[in-house]
Amino acid sequence: MKKTKKYLIGFVAVISILIVIPFFIPLRSYLDKAQRIASEKIGAPVTIASGQLLLIPTPRIVAREISVGEHQELRLDEVSIIPTLGSLLSETKVIEIKITKPVIKKAALDIISALPESHEEADAAPDAVNVKRVTLNALQLDWPGIKLPTLNMDVHLTSANSLESLSLETIDGVMKADVTPKDEGHLILVNAEKWTLPAGLPLLITQASLEMYLKGSQLDIPRIDLALYNGKVSGNAKLSWTKGWRASGKLQVNNLSVKEPSSMVSKSVYLSGSLSGDSGFSSMAKDASGLQDNLNANFKFNVKDGVLHGLDLVKLASLLTKQSSGGETQFDEFSGVLNAKGKQYVLRDIKMRSGFLAASGEVKVKPSKELDGVVEVELKKGVSLAAIPLQVSGTVDKPTVFPTKAAMAGAVAGTAILGPGMGTSLGIKAGGAVDKIKGLFQSE
């Protein structure tokens, strides 16, 4: 018993020494030298607030509060460099790097892109250090206007310090990505469940599966499969950044329940029904952030068995009154083409039909979200009446629909000359013809 007690006391004493001794080993001079070398290699100021040599549980160097760039474009809470004990006496040191709470700002991409290319002679020489593994815990990408999830990353490297595998996962486990070498590039497989898009409309993706191939300055995405709102979205895309940024691709939508997504665009007027369609898109910009502003896309769509919530087109066409919101319009089919050019959208070739209603027209959505367009509504009650041209204005959030001035004037004149019914109908038709003639002389 006494021997056991002595062993315990001796063990505690050794542990205490191993914990205390590192605090007396001066590392500031080494950190200053590391700062200077790193700043020269990276081409941006590097600062290391403090460092420490630890001997347990294994020997390691720990550096804390590291920043890169004049405005801290890259911040690292803590970096641990852990050599394997078996390589300490070898010519090549094998190490593991653990990085805690790194924060990468978008501006850090400029620092990374400016890094000099490695020379072939240097690549051919044997490495004095083999980085076997790099782990990043609680990685945060700080992109303006986008709320990106916090990530954990695990990177394994070969003895030649080239990528063997990379796994990435959000801390909530919603999204996972695996990267492995393939041919002359890298295969990237992404899977996600119950993931909300971090930019644009906050669409909830029930399940996502993407296959990508990265080679040099080009990313091919041959397979995109998304399940959302009881429907499917599939397609492919390509992204390159050799001289400027370019993006292109195709998407197909099948039987997507459109009610919830459309109500995100406008709470007062939105659609319900089953959406299908296909789209091609392309974009060019000087940098990645400009791709969305230069987007060109044409989405040919069809919504079946739905309801236009917030507007009663039958009432509008029947009473010739102004309506900002209220009521609804049931339809069997609603189709058209959504054309996107940057931040401006145009709904072309609009066609809506039901058993007693037919509508057609075109509506522009300006970058300010103001609406401008005309939709002609024809009611089918016995003898077909003339189509009633309705002016669409207001904003996406608060649209306003009312008969055009020419239609109203025509209705009044026709009723006065020929009486209600046939006179009103002919007057509206004449007013609509005037609107169309005016439209021929208006530029898009």
Side-chain angles (χ1 to χ4, degrees), residues 108-413:
L109 296 179
D110 297 331
I111 297 175
I112 295 172
S113 62
L115 290 175
E117 297 288 340
S118 59
H119 298 289
E120 293 182 1
E121 295 81 359
D123 293 339
D127 292 315
V129 177
N130 169 218
V131 182
K132 183 180 180 180
R133 184 182 184 189
V134 179
T135 57
L136 294 90
N137 296 318
L139 166 64
Q140 184 66 56
L141 299 175
D142 186 4
W143 254 243
I146 304 177
K147 187 178 180 180
L148 296 170
T150 304
L151 308 167
N152 290 329
M153 186 183 298
D154 192 354
V155 184
H156 289 264
L157 303 173
T158 66
S159 58
N161 286 330
S162 57
L163 180 67
E164 183 177 29
S165 67
L166 182 152
S167 62
L168 181 150
E169 184 176 358
T170 58
I171 58 173
D172 56 8
V174 168
M175 185 181 68
K176 299 179 181 180
D178 293 294
V179 183
T180 53
K182 181 181 179 181
D183 300 330
E184 297 179 357
H186 295 89
L187 176 66
I188 306 171
L189 300 176
V190 179
N191 292 281
E193 291 186 357
K194 296 181 180 179
W195 179 50
T196 302
L197 292 182
L201 293 178
L203 299 176
L204 177 62
I205 310 297
T206 306
Q207 193 168 27
S209 177
L210 290 85
E211 178 182 332
M212 300 182 279
Y213 180 70
L214 175 64
K215 181 182 178 182
S217 55
Q218 182 166 305
L219 178 66
D220 290 316
I221 311 176
R223 181 175 61 83
I224 301 172
D225 290 316
L226 308 176
L228 65 165
Y229 302 106
N230 301 316
K232 301 285 185 180
V233 176
S234 58
N236 57 75
K238 182 178 292 186
L239 179 67
S240 62
W241 51 92
T242 305
K243 293 182 179 179
W245 287 73
R246 296 172 181 264
S248 61
K250 294 182 179 180
L251 293 174
Q252 297 82 41
V253 180
N254 291 295
N255 300 321
L256 188 148
S257 178
V258 75
K259 183 176 182 179
E260 189 171 344
S262 66
S263 64
M264 295 178 186
V265 179
S266 174
K267 298 293 184 183
S268 57
V269 178
Y270 55 93
L271 289 171
S272 62
S274 180
L275 169 68
S276 296
D278 57 83
S279 172
F281 65 89
S282 63
S283 182
M284 295 174 58
K286 291 182 179 180
D287 52 50
S289 61
L291 288 174
Q292 184 175 356
D293 293 337
N294 296 317
L295 176 67
N296 281 281
N298 285 287
F299 178 50
K300 188 177 181 180
F301 66 89
N302 187 298
V303 182
K304 293 185 177 180
D305 302 324
V307 176
L308 173 62
H309 301 270
L311 284 176
D312 188 343
L313 295 180
V314 175
K315 181 179 179 180
L316 281 166
S318 301
L319 303 179
L320 298 179
T321 59
K322 179 178 179 180
Q323 183 180 353
S324 57
S325 63
E328 62 182 33
T329 305
Q330 295 186 351
F331 59 84
D332 299 323
E333 186 175 19
F334 173 41
S335 63
V337 178
L338 174 62
N339 172 253
K341 288 186 177 181
K343 295 183 179 180
Q344 178 163 299
Y345 299 85
V346 181
L347 279 167
R348 303 181 185 276
D349 302 326
I350 297 173
K351 290 180 175 61
M352 181 183 289
R353 64 174 182 82
S354 66
F356 53 88
L357 175 145
S360 62
E362 178 176 306
V363 177
K364 297 178 182 178
V365 183
K366 300 178 182 179
S368 60
K369 295 188 177 182
E370 293 179 333
L371 302 177
D372 182 23
V374 174
V375 176
E376 292 187 344
V377 179
E378 182 179 358
L379 302 181
K380 298 178 181 179
K381 292 183 179 179
V383 179
S384 179
L385 297 177
I388 312 298
L390 302 177
Q391 181 72 45
V392 181
S393 59
T395 64
V396 172
D397 296 326
K398 293 184 179 180
T400 301
V401 181
F402 54 90
T404 63
K405 293 180 180 179
M408 290 296 292
V412 172

Side-chain angles (χ1 to χ4, degrees), residues 28 30-40 46-49:
R28 189 65 255 175
Y30 294 99
L31 296 179
D32 292 340
K33 185 177 180 180
Q35 286 181 168
R36 185 173 65 256
I37 294 174
S39 299
E40 292 173 356
V46 176
T47 60
I48 305 173

